[in-house]
Structures are given as structure tokens and as C-alpha cells.
Amino acid sequence: MTLIGRSDLDVFPLALGGNVFGWTADRDASFAILDAFTDGGGDFIDTADGYSAWVPGNSGGESETIIGEWLASRKPRDVVVATKVSTHPEFRGLSAKNIRAAAEASLKRLGLETIDLYYAHFDDESVPLEETVAAFGQLVTDGLVRHTAVSNYSADRIRSWISIAQDAGTALPVAVQPHYNLVHRNDVEDDIIPVAEEFGLDLVPYYALASGFLTGKYRSEDASAVASARAGGASKYATSHGLRIIDELERIGTAHGASIASVALAWLRSQPTVVAPIASASRVEQVPDLLASARVQLSAEEIASLSAVSAWSYAN
């Protein structure tokens, strides 16, 4: 277990992504995935108010609703729930009024009195940052949120958020959620990690498995031909360079008796300021590999080898 930033949130070093709930995992499958995750020691669940509004027939909030129903049914102890604001069709953007209304709607769907970790999902430069920071701080003051965080923010905007919060004496963010994995590194390592180190923030990276590419599912340069809801997202990584990364993950995994996915997540967890990668599962059979990643201890040489083989630039 490990603390997130300077918060009191003590979590399993892997977050279960809720983006698939209400999308590629229906209610029953989602319940089974959540059961397997918590039965295996997991306690950190990540979602957003906009999940999964992109699915035809959905209106947003489906993931939170499923998680809320599961929480009510199972009544698990010490589960940490993170959610986000700015993408729900009814609550777009980061105005103070919208943040408050969105948080209250998320709490209702989740069946919670307090959100453990609340992210600004995407920066909204149409709203003064002072307004957004104050609104997040007020949620903490009023007890609707325990800790605040940012997702998809640039290093400069994170610095500005922190400066405004410090000047106002309001809640400081404790975490950053960037797109970060073995095939998408440069912008995070060059810009975001230094800011996180400076201000005591921790990273909770999404797309930790590169839309499934880092599971080893796509083993040819014709990944786009694979019939999958996520094949398009993974296909850009299925190059000769990308497949060398998969080969190295497999080699190291064999030495540890671990899967390619487990090793990819273990590498990410070993990076500076990373507290818990986010990975999702559409089927309960995928959960054990996610949980196993927290137990894989890579050597310094293995970490360096993976870093070296992936030290070329994909488009960020």
C-alpha cells in the first residue's frame, strides 16, 4: 500500500479503470470485475462523470452508476474512489457552478457522501483558473471532496493551479493523471514528472497498457486488422519498434513467471512519482494479470532495459 502524494489516501499500487463499465463491460460483467479486483486486494477505483457518454444510447454517468450500485450491494471497506469533472454532456467545462453541480451529480450516482479524489478531467481555459481552483477548494471545505487532482494539464498550468491555491490558502492537488506508458513517454518525463517531484504530487497514469497494445495482444504490424473495440488505438504502436518492446516485455515476464501486461505495468509503477497506474478490464479473466503487476519487482537492469528499448519517440 502507498500514499497518494501528501494525502491520507493509502491505496493498492494499481487503480482499476472504470471507463469500460457501461461500454465493453455491462453491469453483470462490471460487478464480476470489481469483485475480482477487490477480492485480490485492490482498493482503488478510477472513473469519470463522462464515462461512457460516447456509446450510442448512453447519456454519461453510466460508469459511476454501476460503481455506485456495486458499492451499495457489496459495501466494501476502505475502497478509494476517484472521479472527474468536465466531460459529462450536462456538465461540460470547469466553471464554479458546473463543478459544484457535477460533483453533486457524481455523488448521487456513486451513492457516496464524499468523493475521495476529484480530478479536473481536462483543462478549460475559457474559465479563469482562479475560479476553477476556488471551486475545487470549496468542495473540500464543504466536505463533498477529500482531495483534489488534475488530469491532462500541462506543466505550466499545474504550476499556476498550485500557485493560485497556495495564495488563496485552499486545497492543493495531490495527484496528476497523465497519458503515460512505455510507448508514450517523452512529454510526461520531460515536463510533468519534474513538476510532480517539485510539489510532492503523485502520478496516476491512464492508458497504462496503451489501449491494449502492451498486453501483447497485437503481435504483428497489421494490428489494425484485429477485430476489437480498441484495435484502432493500439494499431499505431504495432510497428517494428513497438514489437521489440513487446518482445522485451515477454523475455522479462518469462523470467518472473509474469504476463506481458503485468511487466508493462510494473515498469510504469517503477517510474518516479508514479503511485498507481490505471488499467481496465472488460472481462473478469483479465483481472489477475492486473493485480499481479503490483507484485512484480523488476530489477534495476530490467527497468533500464525496458527504458532503453522504448527510448524512441512516438507522436505524443
Side-chain angles (χ1 to χ4, degrees):
M1 308 299 282
T2 186
L3 293 173
I4 299 175
R6 293 174 178 161
S7 77
D8 59 352
L9 299 175
D10 192 8
V11 298
F12 185 80
L14 178 93
L16 180 66
N19 60 313
V20 298
F21 300 155
W23 175 27
T24 55
D26 62 17
R27 184 181 184 277
D28 289 346
S30 299
F31 270 44
I33 291 163
L34 287 159
D35 286 343
F37 182 67
T38 51
D39 288 348
D43 63 2
F44 189 14
I45 301 168
D46 180 271
T47 187
D49 65 354
Y51 299 163
S52 48
W54 58 84
V55 178
N58 284 2
S59 57
E62 286 78 15
S63 175
E64 289 182 331
T65 297
I66 288 172
I67 292 168
E69 291 174 353
W70 177 82
L71 291 169
S73 172
R74 305 301 195 256
K75 297 178 173 56
R77 296 181 60 187
D78 301 322
V79 168
V80 172
V81 177
T83 192
K84 313 176 191 76
V85 56
S86 80
T87 66
H88 191 285
E90 295 180 23
F91 306 104
R92 294 195 182 278
L94 295 175
S95 68
K97 181 179 179 181
N98 187 73
I99 290 167
R100 184 77 180 205
E104 291 173 349
S106 287
L107 285 166
K108 184 176 181 179
R109 286 189 291 267
L110 291 165
L112 297 173
E113 295 182 358
T114 306
I115 296 166
D116 295 309
L117 187 62
Y118 199 46
Y119 289 91
H121 199 167
F122 289 93
D123 197 354
D124 180 2
E125 296 191 22
S126 72
V127 176
L129 192 54
E130 291 81 1
E131 178 180 340
T132 298
V133 172
F136 269 75
Q138 194 62 49
L139 291 177
V140 175
T141 299
D142 294 345
L144 277 68
V145 167
R146 290 177 64 190
H147 297 283
T148 64
V150 297
S151 175
N152 299 298
Y153 271 61
S154 69
D156 286 345
R157 291 286 280 181
I158 295 170
R159 287 182 181 277
S160 295
W161 181 302
I162 291 171
S163 177
I164 292 166
Q166 287 174 332
D167 289 346
T170 194
L172 295 171
V174 300
V176 180
Q177 188 172 131
H179 175 186
Y180 185 31
N181 55 52
L182 265 168
V183 294
H184 184 109
R185 294 174 51 189
N186 294 354
D187 56 341
V188 176
E189 294 176 359
D190 293 346
D191 301 323
I192 303 301
I193 287 177
V195 173
E197 290 177 324
E198 180 179 353
F199 293 103
L201 306 172
D202 273 338
L203 268 57
V204 184
Y206 70 92
Y207 283 163
L209 291 173
S211 300
F213 175 72
L214 293 173
T215 66
K217 182 176 182 179
Y218 310 102
R219 301 303 297 267
S220 80
E221 294 186 44
D222 191 26
S224 60
V226 178
S228 166
R230 293 187 172 188
S235 63
K236 64 182 177 182
Y237 303 122
T239 64
S240 59
H241 293 296
L243 296 176
R244 282 202 290 271
I245 296 172
I246 298 299
D247 289 343
E248 184 63 5
L249 287 168
E250 186 172 51
R251 183 189 71 80
I252 293 171
T254 298
H256 287 268
S259 71
I260 289 171
S262 295
V263 175
L265 292 169
W267 176 88
L268 189 53
R269 180 169 49 84
S270 75
Q271 300 309 298
T273 75
V274 172
V275 64
I278 301 169
S280 56
S282 295
R283 304 187 311 277
V284 70
E285 295 83 10
Q286 298 168 333
V287 175
D289 280 349
L290 305 186
L291 292 168
S293 71
R295 297 188 291 272
V296 174
Q297 297 298 323
L298 301 178
S299 69
E301 291 76 15
E302 289 168 336
I303 293 168
S305 176
L306 286 167
S307 297
V309 78
S310 65
W312 42 269
S313 179
Y314 281 107
N316 287 319

Coordinates of all heavy atoms in Angstrom, one line a residue, residues 85-86 94-95 99 118-125 127-140 145 147-176 195 199 201:
V85 N -14.5 15.6 -13.4 CA -15.5 16.6 -13.9 C -14.9 17.3 -15.2 O -13.7 17.5 -15.3 CB -15.9 17.6 -12.9 CG1 -14.6 18.4 -12.4 CG2 -16.9 18.6 -13.4
S86 N -15.8 17.5 -16.1 CA -15.7 18.4 -17.3 C -16.2 17.8 -18.6 O -16.3 18.5 -19.6 CB -14.3 18.9 -17.5 OG -13.4 18.0 -18.1
L94 N -15.3 23.8 -16.7 CA -14.9 23.9 -15.3 C -15.2 25.3 -14.6 O -14.5 25.8 -13.9 CB -13.4 23.7 -15.2 CG -12.9 22.3 -15.6 CD1 -11.4 22.2 -15.6 CD2 -13.4 21.3 -14.6
S95 N -16.4 25.8 -14.9 CA -16.9 26.9 -14.2 C -17.3 26.5 -12.8 O -17.5 25.3 -12.5 CB -18.2 27.5 -14.9 OG -19.3 26.6 -14.8
I99 N -18.9 22.8 -11.8 CA -18.1 21.9 -10.9 C -18.9 21.5 -9.7 O -19.0 20.3 -9.4 CB -16.8 22.6 -10.4 CG1 -15.8 22.8 -11.6 CG2 -16.2 21.8 -9.3 CD1 -14.7 23.7 -11.3
Y118 N -10.9 13.9 -6.5 CA -11.7 14.5 -7.5 C -10.8 15.3 -8.5 O -10.1 16.2 -8.1 CB -12.7 15.5 -6.9 CG -13.9 15.9 -7.8 CD1 -14.6 14.9 -8.5 CD2 -14.3 17.2 -7.9 CE1 -15.7 15.3 -9.3 CE2 -15.4 17.6 -8.6 CZ -16.1 16.6 -9.3 OH -17.2 16.9 -10.1
Y119 N -10.8 14.9 -9.8 CA -10.0 15.5 -10.8 C -10.7 16.5 -11.7 O -11.9 16.3 -12.0 CB -9.5 14.4 -11.8 CG -8.5 13.4 -11.3 CD1 -9.0 12.2 -10.7 CD2 -7.2 13.6 -11.5 CE1 -8.1 11.2 -10.3 CE2 -6.3 12.6 -11.1 CZ -6.7 11.4 -10.5 OH -5.8 10.5 -10.1
A120 N -10.0 17.6 -12.0 CA -10.4 18.3 -13.2 C -9.9 17.5 -14.4 O -8.7 17.3 -14.6 CB -9.7 19.7 -13.2
H121 N -10.8 17.0 -15.2 CA -10.5 16.0 -16.2 C -9.7 16.6 -17.3 O -8.7 16.0 -17.8 CB -11.8 15.4 -16.7 CG -11.7 14.1 -17.4 ND1 -12.7 13.3 -17.7 CD2 -10.6 13.4 -17.8 CE1 -12.3 12.1 -18.3 NE2 -11.0 12.2 -18.4
F122 N -10.2 17.7 -17.9 CA -9.4 18.4 -18.9 C -9.4 19.9 -18.6 O -10.4 20.4 -18.1 CB -10.1 18.1 -20.3 CG -10.0 16.8 -20.8 CD1 -10.9 15.8 -20.6 CD2 -8.8 16.4 -21.6 CE1 -10.8 14.5 -21.1 CE2 -8.7 15.1 -22.1 CZ -9.7 14.2 -21.8
D123 N -8.3 20.5 -18.9 CA -8.2 21.9 -18.7 C -9.3 22.7 -19.5 O -9.6 22.3 -20.6 CB -6.8 22.4 -19.1 CG -6.4 23.8 -18.6 OD1 -7.3 24.4 -17.9 OD2 -5.3 24.2 -18.8
D124 N -9.8 23.7 -18.9 CA -10.8 24.6 -19.5 C -10.3 26.0 -19.5 O -10.6 26.7 -18.5 CB -12.1 24.4 -18.8 CG -13.2 25.3 -19.5 OD1 -13.0 25.9 -20.5 OD2 -14.4 25.2 -18.9
E125 N -9.6 26.4 -20.5 CA -9.0 27.8 -20.5 C -10.0 28.9 -20.8 O -9.7 30.1 -20.7 CB -7.9 27.8 -21.5 CG -6.7 26.9 -21.1 CD -5.5 27.2 -21.9 OE1 -5.3 28.3 -22.5 OE2 -4.6 26.3 -22.0
V127 N -12.4 29.4 -18.7 CA -12.8 29.8 -17.4 C -11.5 30.3 -16.7 O -10.5 29.6 -16.7 CB -13.4 28.6 -16.6 CG1 -13.7 29.0 -15.2 CG2 -14.7 28.2 -17.3
P128 N -11.5 31.4 -16.0 CA -10.3 31.8 -15.2 C -9.9 30.7 -14.3 O -10.7 30.1 -13.6 CB -10.8 33.0 -14.4 CG -11.9 33.6 -15.3 CD -12.6 32.4 -15.8
L129 N -8.6 30.4 -14.2 CA -8.1 29.3 -13.4 C -8.4 29.6 -11.9 O -8.7 28.6 -11.2 CB -6.6 29.1 -13.6 CG -6.0 27.8 -13.0 CD1 -6.8 26.5 -13.5 CD2 -4.5 27.7 -13.4
E130 N -8.4 30.8 -11.5 CA -8.8 31.2 -10.2 C -10.1 30.7 -9.8 O -10.4 30.2 -8.6 CB -8.7 32.7 -10.0 CG -7.3 33.3 -10.1 CD -6.8 33.5 -11.5 OE1 -7.5 33.2 -12.4 OE2 -5.6 33.9 -11.7
E131 N -11.1 30.8 -10.7 CA -12.4 30.3 -10.4 C -12.5 28.8 -10.2 O -13.2 28.3 -9.3 CB -13.4 30.7 -11.6 CG -14.8 30.3 -11.4 CD -15.7 30.7 -12.6 OE1 -15.3 31.6 -13.3 OE2 -16.8 30.1 -12.7
T132 N -11.8 28.1 -11.1 CA -11.8 26.6 -11.0 C -11.1 26.2 -9.7 O -11.7 25.3 -9.0 CB -11.1 26.0 -12.2 OG1 -11.7 26.4 -13.4 CG2 -11.0 24.5 -12.1
V133 N -10.0 26.8 -9.4 CA -9.3 26.4 -8.2 C -10.1 26.7 -6.9 O -10.2 25.8 -6.0 CB -7.9 27.1 -8.1 CG1 -7.2 26.8 -6.8 CG2 -7.0 26.7 -9.2
A134 N -10.7 27.8 -6.9 CA -11.6 28.2 -5.8 C -12.8 27.2 -5.6 O -13.1 26.8 -4.5 CB -12.1 29.6 -5.9
A135 N -13.3 26.8 -6.8 CA -14.5 25.9 -6.7 C -14.1 24.5 -6.2 O -14.8 23.9 -5.4 CB -15.1 25.7 -8.1
F136 N -12.9 24.0 -6.6 CA -12.4 22.7 -6.1 C -12.1 22.9 -4.6 O -12.5 22.0 -3.8 CB -11.2 22.3 -6.9 CG -11.5 21.4 -8.0 CD1 -12.0 22.0 -9.2 CD2 -11.2 20.1 -8.0 CE1 -12.2 21.2 -10.3 CE2 -11.5 19.3 -9.1 CZ -12.0 19.8 -10.2
G137 N -11.5 24.0 -4.2 CA -11.2 24.2 -2.8 C -12.5 24.2 -1.9 O -12.5 23.7 -0.8
Q138 N -13.5 24.8 -2.5 CA -14.8 24.9 -1.7 C -15.4 23.5 -1.5 O -16.0 23.3 -0.5 CB -15.8 25.8 -2.5 CG -17.0 26.3 -1.6 CD -16.6 27.0 -0.4 OE1 -15.8 28.0 -0.5 NE2 -17.1 26.7 0.8
L139 N -15.3 22.7 -2.5 CA -15.8 21.3 -2.4 C -15.1 20.6 -1.2 O -15.8 19.8 -0.5 CB -15.6 20.5 -3.7 CG -16.4 20.9 -4.9 CD1 -16.0 20.1 -6.1 CD2 -17.9 20.8 -4.6
V140 N -13.8 20.8 -1.0 CA -13.1 20.2 0.1 C -13.6 20.8 1.4 O -13.9 20.1 2.4 CB -11.6 20.4 -0.1 CG1 -10.8 19.9 1.1 CG2 -11.1 19.7 -1.3
V145 N -15.6 16.6 -1.2 CA -14.4 16.0 -1.7 C -13.3 16.0 -0.7 O -13.2 16.9 0.1 CB -14.0 16.8 -3.0 CG1 -12.6 16.5 -3.4 CG2 -15.0 16.7 -4.1
H147 N -9.9 15.1 -1.5 CA -8.6 15.6 -2.1 C -8.9 15.9 -3.6 O -9.7 15.3 -4.2 CB -7.5 14.6 -2.0 CG -7.2 14.2 -0.6 ND1 -6.4 15.1 0.2 CD2 -7.5 13.2 0.2 CE1 -6.2 14.6 1.4 NE2 -6.9 13.4 1.5
T148 N -8.2 16.9 -4.1 CA -8.3 17.3 -5.4 C -7.1 16.9 -6.3 O -6.0 16.6 -5.8 CB -8.4 18.9 -5.5 OG1 -7.2 19.5 -5.1 CG2 -9.6 19.4 -4.7
A149 N -7.3 16.9 -7.6 CA -6.3 16.5 -8.5 C -6.6 17.0 -9.9 O -7.6 17.6 -10.2 CB -6.2 14.9 -8.6
V150 N -5.6 16.9 -10.8 CA -5.8 17.4 -12.2 C -5.4 16.3 -13.2 O -4.5 15.4 -12.9 CB -4.9 18.6 -12.5 CG1 -5.4 19.8 -11.6 CG2 -3.4 18.4 -12.3
S151 N -6.0 16.3 -14.3 CA -5.8 15.3 -15.4 C -5.6 16.1 -16.7 O -6.4 17.0 -17.0 CB -7.0 14.3 -15.5 OG -6.8 13.4 -16.5
N152 N -4.6 15.6 -17.5 CA -4.4 16.2 -18.8 C -4.1 17.7 -18.8 O -4.4 18.5 -19.7 CB -5.7 16.0 -19.7 CG -6.0 14.6 -19.9 OD1 -5.1 13.8 -20.5 ND2 -7.1 14.1 -19.5
Y153 N -3.4 18.1 -17.7 CA -3.0 19.5 -17.6 C -1.5 19.6 -18.0 O -0.7 18.7 -17.7 CB -3.2 20.0 -16.2 CG -4.5 20.7 -15.9 CD1 -5.7 19.9 -16.0 CD2 -4.6 22.0 -15.5 CE1 -6.9 20.5 -15.8 CE2 -5.8 22.6 -15.2 CZ -7.0 21.8 -15.4 OH -8.2 22.4 -15.1
S154 N -1.1 20.7 -18.6 CA 0.3 21.0 -18.9 C 1.0 21.3 -17.6 O 0.5 21.7 -16.6 CB 0.4 22.1 -19.9 OG 0.1 23.4 -19.3
A155 N 2.4 21.2 -17.7 CA 3.2 21.5 -16.5 C 3.0 23.0 -16.1 O 2.9 23.3 -14.9 CB 4.7 21.3 -16.8
D156 N 2.9 23.9 -17.0 CA 2.7 25.3 -16.7 C 1.4 25.5 -16.0 O 1.3 26.3 -15.1 CB 2.8 26.2 -18.0 CG 4.2 26.3 -18.5 OD1 5.2 26.0 -17.7 OD2 4.4 26.7 -19.7
R157 N 0.3 24.9 -16.5 CA -1.0 25.1 -15.9 C -1.0 24.4 -14.5 O -1.7 24.9 -13.6 CB -2.1 24.5 -16.8 CG -2.2 25.3 -18.1 CD -2.9 26.6 -17.8 NE -4.4 26.4 -17.7 CZ -5.2 27.4 -17.5 NH1 -4.8 28.7 -17.4 NH2 -6.5 27.2 -17.5
I158 N -0.3 23.3 -14.3 CA -0.2 22.7 -12.9 C 0.4 23.7 -12.0 O 0.0 23.9 -10.8 CB 0.5 21.4 -13.0 CG1 -0.3 20.3 -13.8 CG2 0.7 20.8 -11.6 CD1 0.5 19.1 -14.1
R159 N 1.5 24.3 -12.4 CA 2.2 25.3 -11.6 C 1.3 26.4 -11.2 O 1.3 26.9 -10.1 CB 3.5 25.8 -12.3 CG 4.6 24.8 -12.4 CD 5.8 25.5 -13.1 NE 6.9 24.5 -13.2 CZ 7.8 24.3 -12.3 NH1 7.7 25.0 -11.1 NH2 8.8 23.5 -12.4
S160 N 0.6 26.9 -12.2 CA -0.3 28.0 -12.0 C -1.4 27.6 -11.0 O -1.8 28.4 -10.1 CB -1.0 28.5 -13.3 OG 0.0 29.0 -14.2
W161 N -2.0 26.4 -11.1 CA -3.0 25.9 -10.2 C -2.5 26.0 -8.8 O -3.1 26.5 -7.9 CB -3.5 24.5 -10.6 CG -4.6 23.9 -9.8 CD1 -4.6 23.7 -8.4 CD2 -5.8 23.5 -10.2 NE1 -5.7 23.1 -8.0 CE2 -6.5 23.0 -9.1 CE3 -6.4 23.4 -11.5 CZ2 -7.8 22.4 -9.2 CZ3 -7.7 22.8 -11.6 CH2 -8.4 22.3 -10.5
I162 N -1.3 25.4 -8.6 CA -0.7 25.3 -7.3 C -0.4 26.7 -6.7 O -0.7 27.0 -5.5 CB 0.6 24.5 -7.3 CG1 0.2 23.0 -7.6 CG2 1.4 24.6 -6.0 CD1 1.4 22.1 -7.9
S163 N 0.1 27.6 -7.5 CA 0.4 29.0 -7.1 C -0.9 29.7 -6.6 O -0.9 30.3 -5.6 CB 1.0 29.7 -8.2 OG 1.3 31.1 -7.8
I164 N -2.0 29.5 -7.4 CA -3.2 30.1 -7.0 C -3.8 29.6 -5.7 O -4.2 30.3 -4.8 CB -4.3 30.0 -8.2 CG1 -3.8 30.8 -9.4 CG2 -5.7 30.3 -7.7 CD1 -4.6 30.4 -10.7
A165 N -3.7 28.2 -5.6 CA -4.2 27.6 -4.4 C -3.4 28.0 -3.2 O -4.0 28.2 -2.1 CB -4.2 26.1 -4.6
Q166 N -2.1 28.1 -3.3 CA -1.2 28.5 -2.2 C -1.6 29.9 -1.8 O -1.7 30.2 -0.6 CB 0.2 28.4 -2.6 CG 0.7 26.9 -2.7 CD 2.2 26.9 -3.2 OE1 2.6 27.7 -4.0 NE2 2.9 25.8 -2.8
D167 N -1.7 30.8 -2.7 CA -2.0 32.2 -2.4 C -3.4 32.3 -1.7 O -3.6 33.2 -0.9 CB -2.0 33.0 -3.7 CG -0.6 33.2 -4.3 OD1 0.4 33.0 -3.5 OD2 -0.5 33.7 -5.4
A168 N -4.3 31.5 -2.1 CA -5.7 31.5 -1.6 C -5.8 30.7 -0.3 O -6.8 30.8 0.4 CB -6.7 31.0 -2.6
G169 N -4.8 29.9 0.0 CA -4.9 29.1 1.2 C -5.9 28.0 1.1 O -6.5 27.6 2.1
T170 N -6.1 27.5 -0.1 CA -7.1 26.5 -0.4 C -6.5 25.2 -0.7 O -5.2 25.1 -0.8 CB -8.1 26.9 -1.5 OG1 -9.3 26.1 -1.5 CG2 -7.4 26.9 -2.9
A171 N -7.3 24.1 -0.9 CA -6.8 22.8 -1.1 C -5.8 22.7 -2.3 O -6.1 23.2 -3.4 CB -7.9 21.8 -1.3
L172 N -4.7 22.0 -2.1 CA -3.7 21.8 -3.1 C -4.0 20.4 -3.7 O -4.3 19.5 -3.1 CB -2.3 21.8 -2.5 CG -1.8 23.1 -2.0 CD1 -0.5 22.9 -1.2 CD2 -1.6 24.1 -3.1
P173 N -3.7 20.3 -5.0 CA -3.9 19.0 -5.7 C -2.8 18.0 -5.1 O -1.7 18.4 -4.7 CB -3.7 19.2 -7.2 CG -2.9 20.5 -7.2 CD -3.3 21.3 -6.0
V174 N -3.2 16.7 -5.1 CA -2.3 15.7 -4.6 C -1.8 14.8 -5.7 O -0.9 14.0 -5.5 CB -2.9 14.9 -3.4 CG1 -3.3 15.8 -2.3 CG2 -4.1 14.1 -3.9
A175 N -2.5 14.8 -6.9 CA -2.2 13.8 -7.9 C -2.4 14.5 -9.3 O -3.1 15.4 -9.5 CB -3.1 12.6 -7.8
V176 N -1.7 13.9 -10.3 CA -1.8 14.2 -11.7 C -2.1 13.0 -12.4 O -1.5 11.9 -12.2 CB -0.5 14.9 -12.2 CG1 -0.7 15.3 -13.7 CG2 -0.1 16.1 -11.4
V195 N 7.6 18.6 -12.3 CA 6.6 19.4 -11.6 C 6.1 18.5 -10.4 O 6.0 19.0 -9.3 CB 5.5 19.9 -12.4 CG1 4.4 20.5 -11.6 CG2 6.0 20.9 -13.5
F199 N 6.5 19.5 -6.3 CA 5.4 19.9 -5.4 C 4.8 18.7 -4.6 O 3.8 18.8 -4.0 CB 4.3 20.5 -6.2 CG 4.7 21.9 -6.8 CD1 5.1 22.0 -8.1 CD2 4.8 23.0 -6.0 CE1 5.4 23.3 -8.6 CE2 5.2 24.2 -6.5 CZ 5.5 24.4 -7.8
L201 N 3.5 15.8 -5.7 CA 2.4 15.2 -6.4 C 2.8 13.8 -6.8 O 3.9 13.5 -7.0 CB 2.0 16.0 -7.6 CG 1.7 17.5 -7.4 CD1 1.5 18.2 -8.8 CD2 0.5 17.7 -6.5

